[in-house]
Amino acid sequence: MKTQINIAGGLDIELPNMHRVTQTFDSHALADIPAAVTAELQTEKVRSTIKAGETIAVGVGSRGVA
């Protein structure tokens, strides 16, 4: 079924068929965030990069953050 829309100014546009799509994401929730951050900061990769006394910033994504 095509949907016909009328736009002011006399433009008639026929829209293509559309379908509703749902996307779900796997949950990767952490039970203990402070412990997870501490564990990551103790990895050899981080410890060999960041020296004592340096200031660092920790960035995170916002998706799913309550």
Side-chain angles (χ1 to χ4, degrees):
M1 177 177 102
K2 298 279 184 180
T3 301
Q4 187 72 28
I5 62 168
N6 297 314
I7 298 176
L11 298 175
D12 294 328
I13 299 173
E14 190 173 282
L15 298 177
N17 291 330
M18 296 187 192
H19 301 276
R20 183 175 298 272
V21 176
T22 302
Q23 184 175 10
T24 56
F25 296 92
D26 294 337
S27 174
H28 298 288
L30 298 173
D32 187 350
I33 294 172
V37 171
T38 299
E40 287 298 320
L41 291 174
Q42 295 301 320
T43 63
E44 181 58 34
K45 181 178 180 180
V46 173
R47 292 184 74 174
S48 67
T49 304
I50 301 170
K51 306 301 180 227
E54 291 185 327
T55 301
I56 62 168
V58 177
V60 300
S62 62
R63 182 177 302 276
V65 175

